[in-house]
Amino acid sequence: KLSGGVKLPVLWDHQQRMLDFSLSGSAEDFSLHYAEPSTGKTLYGLEYLRGFYGLKLAICPASAMQVWNADYEGFYDNPNFELHVLDQGSSRDKYATIKDLYRRRVDAVGVLSYETAARIPLDEFNFSAVVTDEAHRLGQHNGAQSMKIATMLHGVQFKVAMTGTPF
């Protein structure tokens, strides 16, 4: 597909249905998507986040961070948003990068691991949307990591949780 000279990925039917549902308003401000492993949840997550302007956030296991980068580089040609996979440096460095993107009002997705997301003050930023990948990693609803991330992102209006592992 071409939109303003930007090559966009062609989604599989199930990905398009998830995206349509998430962006339709039927999901209100949160949706949870379960899909088998290797069915393109990351690409769906990128397309969901592309639907919003400003700073967006993806949180995933550290082991999945490069999948976000691979899908971004593999499916987008001249994308209209930046992707910053923050898998190098200290939590302080990653916080500084997010703060810089926010300050510059860049249309971008920051990708953080769950461990880093629980360590930095995400509530300082007005993210336009958030995706949690492999959301089962949040664990119990009353677990320390889950509660900290949920509290910090409470003010984000549009949130999607994706998993390939049944809870």
Side-chain angles (χ1 to χ4, degrees):
K1 297 177 184 178
L2 290 176
S3 172
V6 176
K7 178 184 167 194
L8 301 176
V10 176
L11 299 177
W12 292 334
D13 288 341
H14 72 279
Q15 292 169 315
Q16 189 63 55
R17 285 192 306 271
M18 288 190 317
L19 186 63
D20 291 345
F21 175 77
S22 297
L23 296 175
S24 70
S26 299
E28 297 190 19
D29 59 359
F30 174 78
S31 59
L32 171 66
H33 295 284
Y34 168 79
E36 295 291 329
S38 300
T39 56
K41 290 182 295 296
T42 305
L43 181 56
Y44 154 76
L46 283 166
E47 278 295 282
Y48 175 77
L49 292 171
R50 191 178 66 80
F52 298 90
Y53 183 79
L55 185 58
K56 287 96 46 173
L57 181 65
I59 305 173
C60 65
S63 61
M65 293 178 81
Q66 286 308 314
V67 175
W68 283 81
N69 193 54
D71 278 8
Y72 179 77
E73 290 180 357
F75 288 102
Y76 294 92
D77 183 21
N78 300 317
N80 56 354
F81 66 101
E82 298 176 14
L83 183 79
H84 296 267
V85 177
L86 303 175
D87 60 350
Q88 301 294 314
S90 67
S91 293
R92 181 175 286 158
D93 295 335
K94 295 167 190 174
Y95 168 72
T97 299
I98 294 287
K99 190 172 186 175
D100 180 61
L101 294 170
Y102 185 71
R103 181 188 55 77
R104 292 187 297 123
R105 294 191 165 109
V106 175
D107 190 16
V109 175
V111 181
L112 295 172
S113 70
Y114 281 104
E115 294 76 18
T116 299
R119 288 188 194 116
I120 62 176
L122 297 174
D123 52 350
E124 290 183 12
F125 309 105
N126 185 21
F127 295 104
S128 56
V130 174
V131 168
T132 54
D133 188 6
E134 301 299 343
H136 63 277
R137 290 285 302 268
L138 287 169
Q140 299 282 338
H141 72 282
N142 58 353
Q145 186 179 61
S146 177
M147 289 177 64
K148 184 160 186 168
I149 291 172
T151 299
M152 285 191 293
L153 298 176
H154 178 74
V156 178
Q157 183 175 359
F158 299 100
K159 301 178 272 284
V160 165
M162 306 182 307
T163 187
T165 303
F167 285 84

